[in-house]
Amino acid sequence: MKHGYDTEELIAALATPWGESALAVIRTSGTGSVEKIASIFKGNKDITKLPGYSLAFGMLRDGDKAVDQVVLGIYRAPKSYTGEDMVEIFCHGSLPGIQAVMELLHKAGFRDAQPGEFTLRSFLNGKVDLTKAEAVNELILSKSRQAQVLALDRLSGSIFDAIDRAKHLLADIMAAVEIQLDYAEDEADPAAGFDMDKLDQASDILSRLAATYQVGKLYKEGIRIALAGRTNAGKSKLFNLFLKEDRSIVSDIRGTTRDYIESSVAVKGIPAVLIDTAGLRTSSDPVEAEGIRRSNLVIENADIILYLVDGSEGLTPEDRTFIKEHPCIPLWNKTDIAREAAPDGFIPISAVTGAGFGELEELIYTKAMGNGRLDTGEAVIDSQRQKDLIERSLDAIGKVRIGMAAQMPLDVVAVDLEEAVDALGELTGEITSSDILENMFSHFCVGK
Amino acid sequence: MDFDAIVIGGGHAGIEASLALARLDFSTLLITQNIDTIGKLSCNPAVGGLSKGNIVREIDALGGEMAHLIDHTMIQFRMLNKSRGPAVQAPRAQADKFAYSALAKYTLEHQKNLHLFQDTVTDFILSSDSHSIEGVITERNMRFTARAVVLTTGTFMEGRIFIGPYSKVSGRIGEPAAEGLGVSLRRMGFDVGRLKTGTPARVKKSSLDYDKMEMQPGDEEVLQFSFFGEKVVRPKVPCWITYTNEKTHQIIRDNFHRSPLFSGMIVGTGPRYCPSIEDKVKRFPDRPRHQIFVEPEGLESEEMYLNGISSSLPEEVQNQFLHTLPGLEHVEVVRPGYAVEYDYLNPLQLYPSLMTKRLKGLFIAGQTNGTSGYEEAGCQGLMAGINAAMYLQGKSPLVLSRTEAYIGVLIDDLVTLGTKEPYRMFTSRAEHRLSLRHDTADFRLLEKGYEAGLVCDEIHQQFVEKRTKIDEVKELLIQRHLGAKELEKVEQEELVSTLRHHIGKTFDQIIRDPEVRLDQLLSLDPSIGDGVRKEWLDQIELDLKYDGYIARQERQNSRVERMEKLRIPEGFDYDAVESLSAESRLKFKQVLPATLGQASRISGVRTSDIAILMIHLGKKNGSTAD
């Protein structure tokens, strides 16, 4: 079933850019939005009694837990941007904070607004004029196309495959159940039964996926940037340049950084965890050898690897091997004293003078934002929506189990089964009733 | 004009269409190739079944005829899928084919305003601008004029039958096809395709050995299809079950090459859900056997129908493999099985009213639209008849939604998605099937039938009384609390231990426990159900037991309903909406959806394009800034 733009539902979206700032504004809209927010808000006034254009101050709460201190702007229909009741939430602008407020809103019954949806509602309620609406057309079109591409990108590879596999397992079960619902007892293929194994497999796949979700992995923890390179390539100097403070021991003696050091930084507003690794070389010192082993692990798990080459010494065979084997951004460091210019594909930089640092930051930013999820190799879900849908499916699978155990009638079990398939369908493509019929006819011999 | 309306064809669609028009006071001419084959059950001798039984009862609620016909001619009744849940239970009855057909003819003959005429329509008379229909021309060159025409040709339009190498222009075996009409429709620019279906052999009753087959009796308790029809007592006759075996399959395999299905003689697409035996053997080579039902064709007939073994293999091959079935060792074939290929019109060419987009006043119903099944045909005939009447009065058509009837699902699927194989109804096609139970068809549709003028005052009054009574009982169940002392009087220990958890709750709450039945609760307080018919009590029980699930579906329904309210005006210019994607634009222009809801169901249409349409429709409706 297509959901699309349902104008009766409560929607929410961050209205300010996604990045660290002093304040962030989250906008919500829909009939009943004030009451809904009131249920998670404890403040100086009862907002359900407030007229439009008034402010309230207080705490957003998840049960007993305080989530954020906020100011609420109340708008009453039809005098609001969308023409519906609206609440604007002014909250603290830290990324984990915004994330927490959005999660609370989801829990309370708001869903993420789709691109252009506030404006769409505003148009449908007669709040914007026609010229503006034409612009909305373009907006919806371009954004949703981009969003479709993005959504596919996000799910590319292993996650898509895993979800799709679970979805098809469920669809197989559904076909076997539907056969029994669509043909009389004496006509249905005796081979059609309820396949509990398939249900277990599907729920295993989904449970594992759901467990990989780390709340706002990218944003809460930040992207993981590892600095790698031979010893004395200037990693710690670059690390400090990022930090703009002396956290790492910077010395000219090789092998000073025996373990790895990490620190949170912001790269053009995007939170990142910067990790300075031990220099890559074999060592007989057991302590240093352990440091190198750990460094390798860190490098394997990083979202972005910055590989530093000492430009004053040139490329060594070790450097060539590393660059060949790892997806990384190769840096040509020490341009202030290097004898040759950076080879093709290398970013010239000087960790001492800071030359080229701006370009590097730009590149990291593009990499982090441009493709949505960074390729970490492991299948990890990173959006609240993916997690919600997978959990909705798991929840429905649980109900199917209960229904089967309690010997509930099949037509009722089928409702939950359909829910389980539909939730995944929103991630990897809808399964229609004709797909199910197709599955039925190809797997089972039916018909008098 | 000679008549208000003309109905072409006297099958299950034609019967409903002509009766609806005549009953709504329009002088109607029904033209059929043979007056004696009106209402013939061409294939299996049964009416109803899963989702189909629901359709028959929906036809009844709207004021159609099919339920009466089967109620008066059934020779066995069964309630199917009782074990699998209320939403997918459905009534099915074996029919006495000959009695059914005779009663259909009798009913048409005695209908006021309805005239029957035997001839074959070969062409249409069009208005001078070629935009509207004005009548028909027959094989014998008769001309009849009318403002509305309902076309229900079944398998007869350019029909051709196949039995092995034998092939003949025919609509049914022994009956000529309607030639010329398909050519005319193609000439007029209609998209006409070919479909195929098949039927099994009929064999002599006395040549079978019943000791070698399993008997399949009907239910003792009979539920009539018609909600308020008079009670009829009918005889009960059993069916029989036998199975194919490896020998049967070997004979079929050895002769695959002689099947017109595999040799390429038949080009039309057949139904996957009702495959021929050669198809089953080919596609499922591992199955050791296939079930065959042996069903009587009628009380006075010596013919038996072999359900599950339709075939178009050569007659000697059919003969050979039939002899391998237990009980059929000495079988005498009366009529062979055969395949039939026929013209159908791509239903994307229709509005949800079943009127063609190309020609005003021309309605199409039944198998001609690519469906299969008597029930599917009948309900389309009824809707086409009602909507032809609406058209004649200049009123807006009656379009049922997917949330209120299987009929709504069927027509919406046809006109929104089209079909490339014979379309049969399945409960799984209905996303709201819990709300489409057969026993609630009157609650869903009777008022609509009454408004349309097909349900008479007397029936409507009976319905209102039923509704009032059911509401009363539900109210009583809400008010009645279970007292601790009451349990002392109950003798069944199991019931006592179940009910003990419910002391203090209302009956309305207790009935939601899957372990508790309504009759058990009523035994504590018989006054609640006093004088209430059993099937009404059943309905109440199901309504309450599945309330939670139904409520869940109703929330989804209301979402659908909202989208259905957003109408797209006729003649909407999709080319003027620049930002639509090319694919969606093409699909919108082909389907010409009547509502935004229908538009959103067209396969492959993007959500963003629906949003854009929404915006443009908003603009048309003139909603601007306050």
Side-chain angles (χ1 to χ4, degrees):
Chain A
M1 183 95 225
K2 279 181 196 151
H3 289 277
Y5 295 87
D6 188 320
T7 52
E8 303 284 312
E9 290 175 356
L10 298 174
I11 52 173
L14 181 64
T16 45
W18 180 258
E20 294 278 354
S21 57
L23 278 180
V25 179
I26 293 170
R27 186 182 245 182
T28 69
S29 182
T31 310
S33 50
V34 177
E35 288 72 19
K36 200 57 103 187
I37 302 275
S39 70
I40 51 170
F41 176 76
K42 199 168 174 180
N44 57 345
K45 296 164 195 163
D46 177 2
I47 59 169
T48 61
K49 301 217 164 67
L50 290 183
Y53 305 138
S54 43
L55 295 176
F57 169 78
M59 190 67 86
L60 284 182
R61 310 187 68 94
D62 182 2
D64 295 332
K65 205 177 95 219
V67 174
D68 196 7
Q69 206 162 42
V70 297
V71 172
L72 301 180
I74 312 291
Y75 299 83
R76 294 291 185 179
K79 294 184 175 177
S80 73
Y81 178 63
T82 57
E84 305 168 334
D85 280 357
M86 286 184 75
V87 179
E88 285 179 353
I89 303 170
F90 301 83
C91 60
H92 290 102
S94 80
L95 295 171
I98 296 171
Q99 186 86 31
V101 173
M102 284 307 291
E103 270 173 44
L104 179 62
L105 289 173
H106 285 143
K107 218 166 140 185
F110 288 85
R111 67 164 168 81
D112 283 332
Q114 299 190 45
E117 200 169 1
F118 282 94
T119 316
L120 174 71
R121 288 188 178 194
S122 144
F123 178 80
L124 292 175
N125 291 319
K127 301 296 290 187
V128 269
D129 63 20
L130 299 183
T131 33
K132 212 164 166 191
E134 293 291 350
V136 181
N137 266 359
E138 298 304 318
L139 186 79
I140 290 174
L141 191 68
S142 61
K143 280 221 178 160
S144 56
R145 281 218 179 120
Q146 199 187 0
Q148 273 165 351
V149 173
L150 249 180
L152 284 177
D153 262 359
R154 271 183 173 295
L155 280 172
S156 67
S158 41
I159 301 184
F160 186 95
D161 289 348
I163 295 177
D164 212 44
R165 207 162 56 239
K167 187 177 77 179
H168 281 105
L169 284 165
L170 294 172
D172 282 353
I173 302 171
M174 206 161 140
V177 167
E178 292 296 333
I179 276 279
Q180 301 180 59
L181 297 179
D182 274 335
Y183 286 88
E185 293 98 330
D186 55 8
E187 279 177 77
D189 190 326
F194 190 91
D195 194 335
M196 203 46 101
D197 274 356
K198 281 189 174 166
L199 192 73
D200 290 342
Q201 284 173 42
S203 103
D204 278 357
I205 293 172
L206 296 175
S207 305
R208 243 179 284 138
L209 269 182
T212 66
Y213 178 74
Q214 295 144 327
V215 183
K217 182 174 181 295
L218 265 183
Y219 300 113
K220 196 166 192 175
E221 296 175 7
I223 42 170
R224 296 178 73 79
I225 305 174
L227 301 184
R230 289 186 300 123
T231 48
N232 214 18
K235 298 186 296 291
S236 298
K237 281 223 172 64
L238 182 60
F239 186 84
N240 287 341
L241 191 58
F242 272 110
L243 254 64
K244 297 193 182 77
E245 64 176 54
D246 277 348
R247 274 275 304 271
S248 206
I249 312 152
V250 186
S251 77
D252 286 335
I253 311 157
R254 294 183 179 213
T256 319
T257 311
R258 290 191 164 180
D259 208 328
Y260 64 88
I261 295 174
E262 59 173 71
S263 186
S264 295
V265 295
V267 182
K268 290 178 71 80
I270 304 178
V273 179
L274 193 64
I275 309 137
D276 185 11
T277 64
L280 297 174
R281 60 174 189 140
T282 46
S283 172
S284 51
D285 180 346
V287 180
E288 195 178 327
E290 172 60 17
I292 291 169
R293 200 189 64 78
R294 288 202 220 168
S295 291
N296 285 336
L297 265 178
V298 166
I299 290 168
E300 299 294 318
N301 289 319
D303 298 316
I304 291 177
I305 304 167
L306 301 179
Y307 188 79
L308 283 84
V309 174
D310 184 342
S312 64
E313 292 193 5
L315 274 174
T316 66
E318 264 176 287
D319 292 333
R320 289 181 208 277
T321 313
F322 186 94
I323 293 169
K324 216 170 107 192
E325 288 174 357
H326 296 80
C328 61
I329 301 177
L331 305 179
W332 192 255
N333 193 21
K334 307 192 187 176
T335 48
D336 49 326
I337 54 168
R339 284 167 293 149
E340 302 164 37
D344 271 359
F346 281 73
I347 311 290
I349 186 170
S350 167
V352 175
T353 65
F357 188 66
E359 288 83 347
L360 176 60
E361 279 196 314
E362 191 65 48
L363 188 65
I364 292 173
Y365 180 82
T366 320
K367 271 218 156 196
M369 298 304 279
N371 297 323
R373 206 173 59 80
L374 291 155
D375 187 14
T376 60
E378 187 203 357
V380 170
I381 54 166
D382 56 12
S383 91
Q384 179 77 35
R385 181 171 165 268
Q386 289 168 15
K387 180 179 164 251
D388 285 351
L389 288 167
I390 288 173
E391 281 182 349
R392 208 171 94 199
S393 184
L394 277 169
D395 190 42
I397 290 175
K399 286 189 187 142
V400 171
R401 256 186 234 289
I402 295 169
M404 290 307 288
Q407 296 184 317
M408 297 273 276
L410 267 188
D411 57 353
V412 161
V413 176
V415 174
D416 293 316
L417 202 48
E418 199 183 326
E419 169 86 22
V421 175
D422 279 356
L424 300 184
E426 288 194 33
L427 289 170
T428 65
E430 194 186 0
I431 289 219
T432 63
S433 66
S434 53
D435 295 334
I436 294 292
L437 288 173
E438 177 83 38
N439 188 324
M440 271 163 57
F441 301 138
S442 56
H443 288 98
F444 301 108
C445 182
V446 289
K448 278 191 169 178
Chain B
M1 295 279 168
D2 303 323
F3 297 93
D4 292 322
I6 295 170
V7 175
I8 306 168
H12 306 282
I15 291 170
E16 299 292 349
S18 59
L19 285 175
L21 277 157
R23 286 169 179 169
L24 293 173
D25 282 335
F26 292 99
S27 81
T28 304
L29 174 69
L30 183 136
I31 306 180
T32 172
Q33 289 186 287
N34 186 347
I35 294 290
D36 294 326
T37 57
I38 283 173
K40 199 161 170 178
L41 300 165
S42 321
C43 200
N44 61 323
V47 169
L50 299 173
S51 73
K52 290 161 168 269
N54 304 46
I55 291 178
V56 177
R57 305 202 79 190
E58 288 175 1
I59 292 174
D60 183 65
L62 288 166
E65 197 58 28
M66 190 172 250
H68 292 283
L69 295 177
I70 185 62
D71 281 346
H72 286 83
T73 58
M74 66 168 79
I75 53 177
Q76 186 197 92
F77 177 87
R78 287 177 67 208
M79 186 60 80
L80 305 177
N81 275 3
K82 265 185 265 187
S83 62
R84 289 173 180 160
V88 290
Q89 269 179 31
R92 182 174 67 200
Q94 296 298 135
D96 181 325
K97 272 189 174 177
F98 307 94
Y100 188 98
S101 173
L103 180 61
K105 180 176 176 234
Y106 178 92
T107 309
L108 296 191
E109 284 170 340
H110 289 79
Q111 177 61 48
K112 197 179 128 204
N113 299 326
L114 183 57
H115 310 271
L116 308 183
F117 188 70
Q118 179 164 317
D119 203 345
T120 301
V121 171
T122 55
D123 208 347
F124 297 105
I125 306 169
L126 302 188
S127 62
S128 51
D129 64 1
S130 300
H131 288 332
S132 316
I133 199 146
E134 286 192 344
V136 302
I137 304 170
T138 73
E139 198 175 58
R140 299 198 302 272
N141 229 344
M142 303 280 287
R143 295 168 72 87
F144 298 100
T145 56
R147 280 213 300 133
V149 172
V150 184
L151 182 69
T152 71
T153 53
T155 61
F156 278 77
M157 194 157 64
E158 315 295 334
R160 176 177 279 277
I161 67 164
F162 298 88
I163 313 170
Y166 173 87
S167 153
K168 189 181 180 183
V169 175
S170 259
R172 261 188 302 251
I173 193 164
E175 297 177 40
E179 290 180 272
L181 204 53
V183 178
S184 305
L185 286 164
R186 283 185 173 90
R187 193 190 60 227
M188 281 152 54
F190 280 97
D191 177 10
V192 186
R194 296 289 276 175
L195 289 178
K196 171 252 155 184
T197 187
T199 195
R202 316 298 199 264
V203 300
K204 193 173 178 184
K205 194 183 270 179
S206 55
S207 72
L208 307 182
D209 185 349
Y210 295 91
D211 292 339
K212 295 190 177 157
M213 301 190 280
E214 295 164 27
M215 190 170 84
Q216 191 189 36
D219 292 355
E220 268 314 303
E221 191 187 343
V222 174
L223 172 88
Q224 290 191 189
F225 286 78
S226 176
F227 284 98
F228 302 102
E230 56 182 288
K231 279 273 166 235
V232 200
V233 179
R234 293 289 305 162
K236 296 187 177 78
V237 177
C239 295
W240 304 85
I241 296 173
T242 183
Y243 297 91
T244 62
N245 52 53
E246 197 33 57
K247 257 192 192 153
T248 328
H249 300 175
Q250 195 51 51
I251 294 168
I252 291 168
R253 266 195 293 271
D254 289 346
N255 288 283
F256 273 157
H257 63 284
R258 301 175 70 189
S259 162
L261 214 52
F262 303 137
S263 70
M265 271 171 82
I266 295 179
V267 294
T269 315
R272 284 171 305 170
Y273 45 81
C274 187
S276 64
I277 189 68
E278 45 268 36
D279 238 349
K280 289 186 196 177
V281 170
K282 192 173 193 126
R283 286 178 47 214
F284 298 96
D286 302 336
R287 296 298 154 91
R289 63 180 202 176
H290 297 281
Q291 192 170 227
I292 309 299
F293 298 83
V294 182
E295 306 173 358
E297 292 258 288
L299 290 177
E300 321 255 311
S301 169
E302 258 298 289
E303 285 183 83
M304 296 292 270
Y305 178 92
L306 300 181
N307 207 338
I309 197 156
S310 84
S311 175
S312 57
L313 283 165
E315 284 186 61
E316 68 271 23
V317 180
Q318 291 190 31
N319 236 310
Q320 210 186 335
F321 74 64
L322 287 180
H323 277 86
T324 64
L325 303 188
L328 276 72
E329 291 85 352
H330 307 290
V331 68
E332 230 177 86
V333 174
V334 181
R335 315 183 199 211
Y338 61 91
V340 56
E341 202 186 47
Y342 52 95
D343 274 359
Y344 83 107
L345 286 144
N346 178 354
L348 289 178
Q349 301 169 98
L350 302 176
Y351 290 114
S353 63
L354 297 179
M355 186 167 82
T356 63
K357 292 167 185 168
R358 192 172 286 276
L359 265 189
K360 269 193 200 150
L362 177 62
F363 292 78
I364 300 180
Q367 208 151 357
T368 318
N369 283 336
T371 61
S372 88
Y374 314 136
E375 304 81 0
E376 285 87 343
C379 72
Q380 289 174 67
L382 176 66
M383 298 313 292
I386 292 174
N387 285 329
M390 296 294 169
Y391 169 76
L392 289 171
Q393 299 168 81
K395 289 188 187 164
S396 54
L398 175 61
V399 176
L400 302 177
S401 84
R402 300 181 72 89
T403 62
E404 64 188 348
Y406 275 103
I407 301 176
V409 174
L410 183 135
I411 294 177
D412 184 61
D413 276 351
L414 289 180
V415 305
T416 309
L417 305 172
T419 187
K420 293 204 163 62
E421 71 171 322
Y423 179 105
R424 185 199 135 161
M425 185 45 74
F426 286 102
T427 68
S428 51
R429 294 195 197 269
E431 55 277 48
H432 315 286
R433 70 177 160 208
L434 288 185
S435 325
L436 300 182
R437 281 168 18 213
H438 72 83
D439 59 325
T440 59
D442 55 345
F443 275 65
R444 292 183 273 121
L445 300 171
L446 196 129
E447 288 290 356
K448 298 212 161 171
Y450 183 62
E451 255 170 63
L454 278 181
V455 173
C456 64
D457 286 330
E458 190 196 329
I459 299 279
H460 181 251
Q461 191 47 42
Q462 287 184 44
F463 167 68
V464 171
E465 281 161 24
K466 170 180 174 182
R467 193 172 53 192
T468 314
K469 189 77 214 167
I470 284 181
D471 286 347
E472 266 171 37
V473 174
K474 284 184 178 172
E475 188 53 41
L476 288 173
L477 291 173
I478 290 173
Q479 286 164 7
R480 182 69 160 76
H481 291 260
L482 179 66
K485 284 215 169 137
E486 282 181 285
L487 285 186
E488 290 164 17
K489 284 176 258 163
V490 181
E491 280 166 20
Q492 306 101 299
E493 265 178 48
E494 237 176 282
L495 182 59
V496 174
S497 70
T498 313
L499 288 180
R500 190 162 293 134
H501 309 291
H502 296 304
I503 291 172
K505 290 190 199 161
T506 69
F507 280 16
D508 173 77
Q509 289 163 328
I510 301 171
I511 191 62
R512 286 151 213 259
D513 179 343
E515 315 247 300
V516 180
R517 293 194 319 267
L518 183 60
D519 60 342
Q520 294 173 326
L521 287 181
L522 294 187
S523 71
L524 298 175
D525 188 349
S527 71
I528 295 176
D530 230 11
V532 184
R533 280 160 66 169
K534 183 179 173 297
E535 63 242 45
W536 298 1
L537 291 176
D538 288 345
Q539 185 184 336
I540 292 167
E541 181 164 11
L542 293 180
D543 281 353
L544 297 178
K545 275 215 184 314
Y546 293 90
D547 193 34
Y549 284 91
I550 291 168
R552 210 158 110 187
Q553 286 209 327
E554 263 167 15
R555 278 198 296 280
Q556 293 174 354
N557 290 0
S558 70
R559 183 205 294 271
V560 175
E561 297 289 345
R562 283 197 301 275
M563 292 283 274
E564 292 307 323
K565 280 199 193 108
L566 297 169
R567 302 198 60 81
I568 302 174
E570 229 176 287
F572 183 82
D573 184 4
Y574 291 95
D575 288 322
V577 188
E578 278 172 22
S579 32
L580 284 180
S581 73
E583 306 97 286
S584 297
R585 187 197 312 274
L586 206 69
K587 286 177 174 162
F588 289 145
K589 282 166 79 174
Q590 187 187 16
V591 176
L592 299 180
T595 65
L596 209 61
Q598 192 190 349
S600 71
R601 288 190 295 274
I602 299 171
S603 71
V605 161
R606 296 196 182 124
T607 311
S608 55
D609 286 325
I610 295 300
I612 288 166
L613 262 192
M614 206 189 254
I615 284 178
H616 276 259
L617 290 171
K619 193 153 68 179
K620 286 225 154 175
N621 295 342
S623 58
T624 45
D626 55 353

